[in-house]
Short mmCIF file of all heavy atoms in Angstrom, two decimals:
data_model
loop_
_atom_site.label_atom_id
_atom_site.label_comp_id
_atom_site.label_asym_id
_atom_site.label_seq_id
_atom_site.Cartn_x
_atom_site.Cartn_y
_atom_site.Cartn_z
N SER A 307 -3.59 1.37 9.24
CA SER A 307 -4.71 2.25 9.56
C SER A 307 -6.00 1.53 9.23
O SER A 307 -5.99 0.46 8.62
CB SER A 307 -4.61 3.58 8.80
OG SER A 307 -4.69 3.37 7.40
N LYS A 308 -7.12 2.11 9.62
CA LYS A 308 -8.40 1.50 9.33
C LYS A 308 -9.48 2.55 9.19
O LYS A 308 -9.38 3.66 9.71
CB LYS A 308 -8.78 0.50 10.43
CG LYS A 308 -8.92 1.11 11.81
CD LYS A 308 -9.35 0.08 12.85
CE LYS A 308 -9.48 0.70 14.22
NZ LYS A 308 -10.03 -0.25 15.21
N ASP A 309 -10.51 2.18 8.46
CA ASP A 309 -11.70 2.99 8.31
C ASP A 309 -12.82 2.23 9.00
O ASP A 309 -13.33 1.24 8.46
CB ASP A 309 -12.00 3.22 6.83
CG ASP A 309 -13.17 4.17 6.61
OD1 ASP A 309 -14.11 4.18 7.41
OD2 ASP A 309 -13.13 4.91 5.60
N ASN A 310 -13.20 2.67 10.18
CA ASN A 310 -14.20 1.95 10.96
C ASN A 310 -15.57 1.94 10.28
O ASN A 310 -16.31 0.97 10.38
CB ASN A 310 -14.32 2.56 12.35
CG ASN A 310 -13.11 2.26 13.22
OD1 ASN A 310 -12.44 1.25 13.06
ND2 ASN A 310 -12.83 3.16 14.16
N ALA A 311 -15.92 3.02 9.62
CA ALA A 311 -17.22 3.11 8.98
C ALA A 311 -17.34 2.14 7.82
O ALA A 311 -18.40 1.55 7.60
CB ALA A 311 -17.48 4.54 8.51
N LYS A 312 -16.26 1.97 7.07
CA LYS A 312 -16.27 1.09 5.91
C LYS A 312 -15.77 -0.31 6.21
O LYS A 312 -15.85 -1.19 5.35
CB LYS A 312 -15.42 1.69 4.79
CG LYS A 312 -15.93 3.01 4.25
CD LYS A 312 -15.04 3.50 3.13
CE LYS A 312 -15.55 4.81 2.55
NZ LYS A 312 -14.68 5.30 1.46
N ASN A 313 -15.24 -0.52 7.41
CA ASN A 313 -14.67 -1.82 7.80
C ASN A 313 -13.55 -2.24 6.85
O ASN A 313 -13.50 -3.38 6.38
CB ASN A 313 -15.76 -2.89 7.85
CG ASN A 313 -15.95 -3.45 9.25
OD1 ASN A 313 -15.83 -2.74 10.24
ND2 ASN A 313 -16.26 -4.74 9.34
N ILE A 314 -12.65 -1.31 6.57
CA ILE A 314 -11.51 -1.59 5.71
C ILE A 314 -10.23 -1.31 6.47
O ILE A 314 -10.06 -0.25 7.06
CB ILE A 314 -11.55 -0.74 4.42
CG1 ILE A 314 -12.83 -1.00 3.64
CG2 ILE A 314 -10.33 -1.06 3.56
CD1 ILE A 314 -12.96 -0.16 2.39
N LEU A 315 -9.33 -2.26 6.43
CA LEU A 315 -8.01 -2.15 7.02
C LEU A 315 -7.01 -1.84 5.91
O LEU A 315 -7.11 -2.40 4.82
CB LEU A 315 -7.64 -3.46 7.72
CG LEU A 315 -6.25 -3.54 8.36
CD1 LEU A 315 -6.21 -2.70 9.64
CD2 LEU A 315 -5.90 -5.00 8.65
N TYR A 316 -6.04 -0.98 6.21
CA TYR A 316 -5.05 -0.60 5.22
C TYR A 316 -3.63 -0.84 5.72
O TYR A 316 -3.37 -0.82 6.92
CB TYR A 316 -5.17 0.89 4.87
CG TYR A 316 -6.50 1.29 4.30
CD1 TYR A 316 -7.46 1.91 5.08
CD2 TYR A 316 -6.79 1.06 2.95
CE1 TYR A 316 -8.68 2.29 4.56
CE2 TYR A 316 -8.01 1.44 2.42
CZ TYR A 316 -8.95 2.05 3.22
OH TYR A 316 -10.16 2.42 2.69
N LEU A 317 -2.74 -1.05 4.79
CA LEU A 317 -1.31 -1.05 5.08
C LEU A 317 -0.63 -0.23 3.99
O LEU A 317 -0.52 -0.69 2.84
CB LEU A 317 -0.73 -2.46 5.13
CG LEU A 317 0.76 -2.54 5.50
CD1 LEU A 317 0.96 -2.10 6.95
CD2 LEU A 317 1.31 -3.94 5.29
N GLN A 318 -0.21 0.96 4.34
CA GLN A 318 0.54 1.80 3.41
C GLN A 318 2.00 1.41 3.49
O GLN A 318 2.60 1.46 4.57
CB GLN A 318 0.36 3.28 3.75
CG GLN A 318 1.14 4.23 2.85
CD GLN A 318 0.65 4.20 1.43
OE1 GLN A 318 -0.56 4.29 1.19
NE2 GLN A 318 1.55 4.07 0.48
N MET A 319 2.59 1.03 2.38
CA MET A 319 3.96 0.57 2.32
C MET A 319 4.76 1.51 1.43
O MET A 319 4.49 1.61 0.23
CB MET A 319 4.04 -0.86 1.80
CG MET A 319 3.20 -1.85 2.59
SD MET A 319 3.45 -3.57 2.05
CE MET A 319 2.80 -3.47 0.39
N ASN A 320 5.74 2.17 2.01
CA ASN A 320 6.61 3.08 1.30
C ASN A 320 8.05 2.59 1.38
O ASN A 320 8.40 1.78 2.23
CB ASN A 320 6.52 4.50 1.87
CG ASN A 320 5.14 5.09 1.76
OD1 ASN A 320 4.42 4.86 0.79
ND2 ASN A 320 4.75 5.88 2.76
N SER A 321 8.89 3.12 0.51
CA SER A 321 10.31 2.78 0.50
C SER A 321 10.53 1.27 0.51
O SER A 321 11.33 0.74 1.28
CB SER A 321 11.03 3.43 1.69
OG SER A 321 10.88 4.84 1.67
N LEU A 322 9.82 0.59 -0.35
CA LEU A 322 9.86 -0.87 -0.38
C LEU A 322 11.24 -1.39 -0.75
O LEU A 322 11.95 -0.80 -1.57
CB LEU A 322 8.82 -1.41 -1.34
CG LEU A 322 7.38 -1.37 -0.80
CD1 LEU A 322 6.38 -1.47 -1.94
CD2 LEU A 322 7.18 -2.50 0.20
N LYS A 323 11.60 -2.50 -0.12
CA LYS A 323 12.88 -3.15 -0.33
C LYS A 323 12.65 -4.57 -0.84
O LYS A 323 11.60 -5.16 -0.59
CB LYS A 323 13.67 -3.21 0.99
CG LYS A 323 13.88 -1.88 1.68
CD LYS A 323 14.54 -2.08 3.03
CE LYS A 323 14.75 -0.77 3.74
NZ LYS A 323 15.38 -0.96 5.08
N PRO A 324 13.64 -5.15 -1.53
CA PRO A 324 13.47 -6.52 -2.01
C PRO A 324 13.13 -7.50 -0.88
O PRO A 324 12.38 -8.45 -1.11
CB PRO A 324 14.84 -6.84 -2.62
CG PRO A 324 15.32 -5.52 -3.11
CD PRO A 324 14.87 -4.54 -2.06
N GLU A 325 13.65 -7.29 0.31
CA GLU A 325 13.37 -8.17 1.43
C GLU A 325 11.94 -8.07 1.94
O GLU A 325 11.52 -8.85 2.80
CB GLU A 325 14.35 -7.94 2.59
CG GLU A 325 14.49 -6.48 2.99
CD GLU A 325 15.70 -5.81 2.36
OE1 GLU A 325 15.91 -5.99 1.14
OE2 GLU A 325 16.43 -5.11 3.08
N ASP A 326 11.17 -7.12 1.42
CA ASP A 326 9.75 -7.03 1.75
C ASP A 326 8.91 -8.00 0.92
O ASP A 326 7.71 -8.14 1.16
CB ASP A 326 9.23 -5.61 1.53
CG ASP A 326 9.84 -4.60 2.49
OD1 ASP A 326 10.02 -4.93 3.67
OD2 ASP A 326 10.13 -3.48 2.04
N THR A 327 9.52 -8.65 -0.05
CA THR A 327 8.81 -9.59 -0.91
C THR A 327 8.24 -10.73 -0.09
O THR A 327 8.97 -11.42 0.63
CB THR A 327 9.74 -10.13 -2.00
OG1 THR A 327 10.15 -9.06 -2.86
CG2 THR A 327 9.04 -11.19 -2.83
N ALA A 328 6.93 -10.93 -0.17
CA ALA A 328 6.26 -11.97 0.62
C ALA A 328 4.78 -11.98 0.28
O ALA A 328 4.28 -11.09 -0.43
CB ALA A 328 6.44 -11.71 2.11
N MET A 329 4.09 -13.01 0.77
CA MET A 329 2.64 -12.99 0.79
C MET A 329 2.21 -12.21 2.03
O MET A 329 2.71 -12.46 3.13
CB MET A 329 2.08 -14.40 0.85
CG MET A 329 2.12 -15.14 -0.47
SD MET A 329 0.92 -14.52 -1.66
CE MET A 329 -0.62 -14.97 -0.87
N TYR A 330 1.30 -11.29 1.84
CA TYR A 330 0.82 -10.46 2.94
C TYR A 330 -0.61 -10.84 3.29
O TYR A 330 -1.47 -10.96 2.40
CB TYR A 330 0.89 -8.98 2.56
CG TYR A 330 2.29 -8.42 2.65
CD1 TYR A 330 3.26 -8.78 1.72
CD2 TYR A 330 2.66 -7.55 3.68
CE1 TYR A 330 4.55 -8.29 1.81
CE2 TYR A 330 3.94 -7.05 3.77
CZ TYR A 330 4.89 -7.42 2.83
OH TYR A 330 6.17 -6.92 2.92
N TYR A 331 -0.86 -11.01 4.58
CA TYR A 331 -2.16 -11.45 5.08
C TYR A 331 -2.72 -10.46 6.08
O TYR A 331 -1.98 -9.93 6.91
CB TYR A 331 -2.04 -12.80 5.79
CG TYR A 331 -1.49 -13.92 4.95
CD1 TYR A 331 -0.12 -14.14 4.86
CD2 TYR A 331 -2.34 -14.77 4.26
CE1 TYR A 331 0.40 -15.17 4.10
CE2 TYR A 331 -1.83 -15.81 3.50
CZ TYR A 331 -0.46 -16.01 3.42
OH TYR A 331 0.04 -17.04 2.67
N CYS A 332 -4.00 -10.22 6.01
CA CYS A 332 -4.66 -9.49 7.08
C CYS A 332 -5.34 -10.49 7.99
O CYS A 332 -5.67 -11.61 7.60
CB CYS A 332 -5.68 -8.46 6.54
SG CYS A 332 -7.13 -9.15 5.74
N ALA A 333 -5.52 -10.10 9.24
CA ALA A 333 -6.09 -10.99 10.23
C ALA A 333 -6.89 -10.20 11.25
O ALA A 333 -6.64 -9.01 11.47
CB ALA A 333 -4.98 -11.78 10.94
#
């Protein structure tokens, strides 16, 4: 999701699993 007024991008992550382990990048 994003907030256009604040210019902030979000990634809500739920039910995390060990295989989600990584470096996360926005682009």
